Amino acid sequence: MEDGYQNRTAFIKGAKDIAKEVKRQASKKVGRSVDRVSDEYSRRSYSQFEEDDDDDYPTQGSQDGGFYREDSQAANEDEGGHSDSTEGHDEDDEIYEGEYQGIPRAESGKGSLAGGPGTIGDGAQQFRDIGASEAERRKDQEELAQQYETILQECGHGKFQWCLYFVLGLALMADGVEIFVVGFVLPSAEKDMCLSEPNKSMLGLIVYFGMMVGAFLWGALADRIGRRQSLLISLSINSVFSFFSSFVQGYSTFLFCRLLSGVGIGGSIPIVFSYYSEFLSQEKRGEHLSWLSMFWMMGGIYASAMAWAIIPHYGWSFQMGSAYQFHSWRVFVLVCAFPSVAAIAALSVMPESPRFYLENGKHDEGWMILKQVHDTNMRAKGYPEKVFSVTTIKTVKQVDELVDTGTDTPVWQRYRLKIMSLSHQIRNNIVACFSPEYKRTTFMLMAVWFSMSFSYYGLTVWFPDMIKYIQKQEYDSKTKTFTKERVEHVTFNFTLENQVHREGHYFNDKFLNLKMKSMVFEDSVFEECFFEDITSTHTFFRNCTFIASLFYNTDLFKYRFVDCKLVNSSFIHNKEGCILDFSDDFNNAYMIYFVNFLGTLAVLPGNIVSALLMDKIGRLRMLAGSSIISCVSCFFLMFGNSESGMIALLCLFGGISIASWNALDVITVELYPSDKRTTAFGFLNALCKVAAVLGISIFQSFVGITKAVPIIFAAGALAAGSFLATKLPETRGQVLQ
């Protein structure tokens, strides 16, 4: 028995040597599983030694040529018995992930699709040329693009796409709301928080800065971790910090919350358009992406309507001493977070983009979602018996390197390595957008995005500022001037507004419980006067003398007294902080809320026209044509000398230019492949925010000085953008890369 055991050991050792040689040869010549061949060879030799010489080992393979699994056979031999239940059972016959749900097996086997451990030819893969691997990957992407378009045609356009349309529309609506929030609350917040002019400017720009960072960050992440997951995270950040910003009291914390809120919502536009495009076939893509853009307009309308309905209601507020104040504008900020919260709730029941799964080698997941799209649409159309006929979908070969951190590696180091790996992948994606294949396209799109953003955002902010300037000129023309008046023993308990008093003398007068708005006193004398419970805005005393006068519970602070003399006069219980003034709220509401409401509503005709014509005349004609008409419309701004005239021109410009934006969104989605789409879109959208800040800063500096410079800048930028747009490739009728 001992001799037999030694002979058996020697035979097994020889068999293993033979198996190693077979493994080496097979890895060079064939693309099949070498481990399975060598293991079967060893197992067969071992079994032959135990059986009688006259008996042959019965080789039973699975339907696809599989063999026994070594671990099952070895376990049976250790137990001294043989289990018939394991005969014919190998790795290919095993029920793989998703097969129990009816998912067909991919053509090449799941291991080769995923590109992870267990892929065929691991030894040869290590020495494969990187260029050949990239060429193979590109070929896979082209084949997938063609097949994916065919599958979308079979799935049809119906209930599923419309449900996703409204869900993603809420996310886009949240982006539109974010743009308007700060502009609407600034007139109230500047008094509530005692904001200086530099602080007001910073508050206006911080949102654009946050959206710039968010567009770049979430756009890049969406190509690596998925569209749905990235959008959920970004909207959650926006919702949380929008909620906090409505309650915080200090300027710094409010600024910080609005910054992070902007970072969160910044990912909305690049992800939403890319996400939705991957569920649309080529004949529907341009039209329905344009319909989706309408939700940005709805966001502006929602913000304008809520501001008009909430902010002027001063009773919607409460105070906790002088330290905590919650005014109506904070209620408005809270309400503006609702679209983002609703989008999160709705998006949680929607699936990931199947194109993203297939691009990352996840055949099962992608097939399941496409089947869901097909079945949902067919049931809604009354054809529930129609079967999804696709059995195998091409997936893209994965070339990402996997780093084995081991089980003994600390958790923090594992996360550090994962973050470093993710950062490296994002960097490679960004660099790929400037590779020779996409460099020209990227630079052209950068120029078009920059020129359109510079002119559009610059003018849309310049219009309200010009309306303010026109209103101020009209208001100043009604100013009443009083000279050398003498007033004695008079009680003023009514509103004093828009007056200038020069060289007056006021003796034993009482100013009680009144509001002073745009009041100026110059070279005047106040003797034995009493000021109580005064609320003032734009009120100043210049070179005046106060003798034996008393100020009680007023907001007449030192900066309101310019070169004045106070003799035996005192201030008692001055009001603390900044006092909200609503004396001109009606005019402000009309100017800010109503004008923006009309401006956003005016883009509705442009949205409808662009949606109906996008797939008929093409993206480039729509983009260049709308830009040229917008350029021509800029010269009509010279005739906007009244408030109503400027409002009409604002509506005209917005209605025309929206078609350019819709075409630019569509063409940006279609010019980049799926694995770089949101990265490129996010980068271009971040550049858009930089151009917006630059345009706003430049155009605002010319308000009240000249109209010519803003008009020339806007027209020149639009003309340059329309010219460069004609150099871009037309994407109408092409499959989604």
Side-chain angles (χ1 to χ4, degrees):
M1 182 175 179
E2 185 177 32
D3 293 338
Y5 179 79
Q6 291 177 352
N7 293 336
R8 179 185 298 182
T9 304
F11 187 90
I12 291 174
K13 183 177 180 183
K16 289 183 177 179
D17 293 337
I18 295 173
K20 289 181 181 178
E21 179 64 18
V22 172
K23 190 174 185 178
R24 187 178 66 83
Q25 295 296 332
S27 65
K28 295 181 179 179
K29 296 179 180 180
V30 296
R32 56 181 297 189
S33 178
V34 182
D35 290 334
R36 192 167 54 205
V37 173
S38 59
D39 294 339
E40 173 59 26
Y41 189 87
S42 300
R43 190 162 52 243
R44 183 181 299 182
S45 301
Y46 185 80
S47 298
Q48 285 177 345
F49 181 80
E50 286 192 318
E51 299 291 339
D52 295 335
D53 294 338
D54 296 336
D55 297 332
D56 292 329
Y57 187 83
T59 303
Q60 300 181 19
S62 64
Q63 294 177 357
D64 53 355
F67 298 93
Y68 291 108
R69 293 188 59 171
E70 180 182 357
D71 53 352
S72 300
Q73 183 70 22
N76 289 327
E77 289 169 357
D78 290 340
E79 294 171 3
H82 182 76
S83 174
D84 293 333
S85 64
T86 60
E87 286 191 10
H89 176 75
D90 81 349
E91 193 172 350
D92 284 340
D93 281 339
E94 183 182 11
I95 293 179
Y96 70 101
E97 179 184 359
E99 186 169 327
Y100 66 95
Q101 299 177 1
I103 303 173
R105 190 183 301 274
E107 191 174 298
S108 305
K110 183 170 181 179
S112 62
L113 293 175
T119 55
I120 56 178
D122 288 335
Q125 180 70 23
Q126 294 177 1
F127 302 96
R128 179 175 295 180
D129 180 71
I130 297 178
S133 179
E134 277 297 321
E136 180 182 351
R137 178 178 170 84
R138 191 174 295 110
K139 182 180 178 182
D140 288 346
Q141 289 176 325
E142 293 173 357
E143 293 179 11
L144 172 60
Q146 295 294 335
Q147 186 186 12
Y148 192 79
E149 179 62 33
T150 305
I151 295 172
L152 288 178
Q153 296 284 350
E154 179 179 344
C155 292
H157 188 92
K159 179 180 178 181
F160 183 92
Q161 281 85 355
W162 283 111
C163 290
L164 186 63
Y165 169 80
F166 287 105
V167 171
L168 296 181
L170 288 172
L172 201 59
M173 184 177 172
D175 182 272
V177 170
E178 190 74 19
I179 291 290
F180 293 96
V181 168
V182 171
F184 288 160
V185 304
L186 195 56
S188 299
E190 67 175 315
K191 298 179 177 68
D192 200 9
M193 296 184 179
C194 305
L195 300 184
S196 61
E197 287 299 326
N199 286 343
K200 287 193 292 184
S201 301
M202 177 60 69
L203 186 57
L205 297 178
I206 200 69
V207 175
Y208 286 97
F209 179 75
M211 295 177 76
M212 177 192 71
V213 174
F216 185 81
L217 173 65
W218 302 117
L221 281 175
D223 277 332
R224 303 309 309 173
I225 66 175
R227 282 81 163 105
R228 177 179 174 273
Q229 185 175 354
S230 297
L231 188 56
L232 279 172
I233 296 173
S234 65
L235 290 175
S236 299
I237 292 175
N238 171 255
S239 301
V240 169
F241 286 98
S242 293
F243 176 81
F244 285 156
S245 66
S246 66
F247 291 96
V248 296
Q249 294 294 298
Y251 166 74
S252 299
T253 50
F254 183 78
L255 194 70
F256 177 74
C257 288
R258 295 316 304 179
L259 170 65
L260 293 185
S261 175
V263 170
I265 202 61
S268 178
I269 289 181
I271 298 176
V272 161
F273 282 101
S274 301
Y275 191 2
Y276 193 47
S277 69
E278 292 169 358
F279 287 90
L280 300 172
S281 57
Q282 64 182 31
E283 70 270 11
K284 298 286 186 180
R285 194 180 307 125
E287 176 187 352
H288 286 271
L289 286 177
S290 298
W291 288 126
L292 183 64
S293 301
M294 292 183 63
F295 278 93
W296 197 92
M297 172 200 72
M298 293 180 187
I301 293 175
Y302 174 83
S304 302
M306 291 298 101
W308 204 349
I310 295 174
I311 295 180
H313 287 267
Y314 326 123
W316 296 6
S317 61
F318 64 88
Q319 291 185 228
M320 297 175 62
S322 60
Y324 190 88
Q325 299 178 353
F326 192 91
H327 296 290
S328 56
W329 68 267
R330 296 183 181 273
V331 179
F332 166 72
V333 173
L334 188 63
V335 169
C336 284
F338 289 173
S340 185
V341 174
I344 294 171
L347 190 61
S348 62
V349 299
M350 300 305 294
E352 178 59 83
S353 165
R355 185 64 179 270
F356 171 78
Y357 278 142
L358 296 172
E359 289 282 347
N360 287 272
K362 297 181 179 180
H363 174 272
D364 301 350
E365 294 86 342
W367 188 92
M368 288 177 63
I369 295 171
L370 288 171
K371 184 177 185 300
Q372 177 186 353
V373 175
H374 175 274
D375 294 346
T376 302
N377 289 341
M378 291 304 108
R379 283 195 300 268
K381 293 178 181 179
Y383 304 105
E385 70 281 358
K386 280 197 174 183
V387 179
F388 187 48
S389 63
V390 179
T391 57
T392 303
I393 307 175
K394 183 68 178 179
T395 51
V396 179
K397 185 72 175 178
Q398 300 302 293
V399 295
D400 292 343
E401 295 182 358
L402 299 177
V403 181
D404 185 11
T405 58
T407 58
D408 297 333
T409 307
V411 175
W412 67 269
Q413 191 168 351
R414 293 183 198 175
Y415 280 105
R416 184 179 67 86
L417 291 173
K418 287 180 181 179
I419 293 173
M420 290 177 61
S421 175
L422 185 62
S423 302
H424 180 71
Q425 292 167 357
I426 290 173
R427 176 184 172 277
N428 289 343
N429 244 15
I430 296 170
V431 172
C433 293
F434 293 91
S435 63
E437 184 177 0
Y438 300 105
K439 181 169 63 176
R440 183 179 181 276
T441 298
T442 300
F443 280 118
M444 285 291 182
L445 282 174
M446 286 175 63
V448 175
W449 273 87
F450 187 92
S451 61
M452 286 190 58
S453 302
F454 177 82
S455 58
Y456 177 80
Y457 286 100
L459 283 179
T460 51
V461 174
W462 182 74
F463 275 117
D465 286 347
M466 280 299 299
I467 294 173
K468 282 183 183 178
Y469 177 74
I470 293 172
Q471 286 181 334
K472 185 176 184 304
Q473 282 187 317
E474 183 180 357
Y475 184 80
D476 291 342
S477 66
K478 299 178 181 179
T479 301
K480 296 180 179 180
T481 303
F482 301 88
T483 305
K484 296 183 178 179
E485 61 178 352
R486 182 176 180 87
V487 181
E488 297 181 357
H489 309 290
V490 175
T491 299
F492 296 89
N493 55 3
F494 49 87
T495 299
L496 299 176
E497 181 179 358
N498 198 20
Q499 299 176 6
V500 176
H501 296 262
R502 294 191 179 99
E503 300 179 8
H505 190 273
Y506 304 89
F507 178 76
N508 198 21
D509 296 322
K510 295 181 180 180
F511 298 83
L512 304 177
N513 192 25
L514 60 85
K515 294 179 180 179
M516 293 183 175
K517 179 185 176 184
S518 299
M519 293 291 296
V520 177
F521 295 89
E522 297 179 348
D523 303 314
S524 299
V525 177
F526 295 83
E527 187 175 356
E528 297 183 10
C529 292
F530 180 64
F531 297 83
E532 182 180 4
D533 198 14
I534 305 296
T535 301
S536 61
T537 56
H538 307 293
T539 296
F540 296 94
F541 299 88
R542 296 190 177 99
N543 197 30
C544 295
T545 302
F546 294 85
I547 303 173
S549 296
L550 177 65
F551 298 84
Y552 181 83
N553 193 31
T554 70
D555 65 351
L556 298 176
F557 304 116
K558 289 184 177 180
Y559 72 90
R560 298 191 184 277
F561 299 90
V562 181
D563 298 326
C564 293
K565 297 179 181 179
L566 283 81
V567 180
N568 295 328
S569 299
S570 59
F571 295 82
I572 302 175
H573 296 298
N574 273 359
K575 294 182 178 180
E576 297 181 359
C578 299
I579 308 302
L580 283 171
D581 174 67
F582 303 112
S583 56
D584 57 348
D585 272 342
F586 178 78
N587 291 331
N588 280 340
Y590 173 75
M591 188 275 301
I592 299 175
Y593 313 142
F594 182 67
V595 169
N596 280 281
F597 179 84
L598 288 180
T600 51
L601 187 62
V603 306
L604 179 61
N607 264 317
I608 295 174
V609 171
S610 64
L612 296 177
L613 298 181
M614 188 70 71
D615 287 319
K616 292 181 173 61
I617 68 175
R619 287 76 162 122
L620 294 187
R621 290 179 181 177
M622 180 68 69
L623 176 57
S626 177
S627 297
I628 291 174
I629 298 175
S630 299
C631 174
V632 174
S633 70
C634 288
F635 292 100
F636 289 99
L637 301 179
M638 295 297 298
F639 304 102
N641 296 320
S642 65
E643 183 178 340
S644 58
M646 292 300 296
I647 293 174
L649 291 171
L650 169 63
C651 295
L652 175 66
F653 179 78
I656 295 173
S657 60
I658 192 63
S660 300
W661 282 110
N662 292 351
L664 186 59
D665 290 333
V666 174
I667 201 171
T668 302
V669 164
E670 295 177 334
L671 281 176
Y672 290 95
S674 294
D675 61 338
K676 302 175 181 65
R677 183 170 296 125
T678 56
T679 300
F681 206 133
F683 171 76
L684 293 169
N685 198 253
L687 181 67
C688 161
K689 298 304 184 289
V690 175
V693 171
L694 185 62
I696 291 171
S697 302
I698 292 176
F699 282 41
Q700 280 184 328
S701 63
F702 289 99
V703 173
I705 299 176
T706 178
K707 291 181 181 179
V709 175
I711 291 172
I712 292 173
F713 278 178
L718 288 169
S722 62
F723 172 76
L724 293 172
T726 60
K727 305 299 180 181
L728 291 168
E730 177 60 75
T731 57
R732 180 180 55 158
Q734 296 183 8
V735 299
L736 196 65
Q737 296 185 54

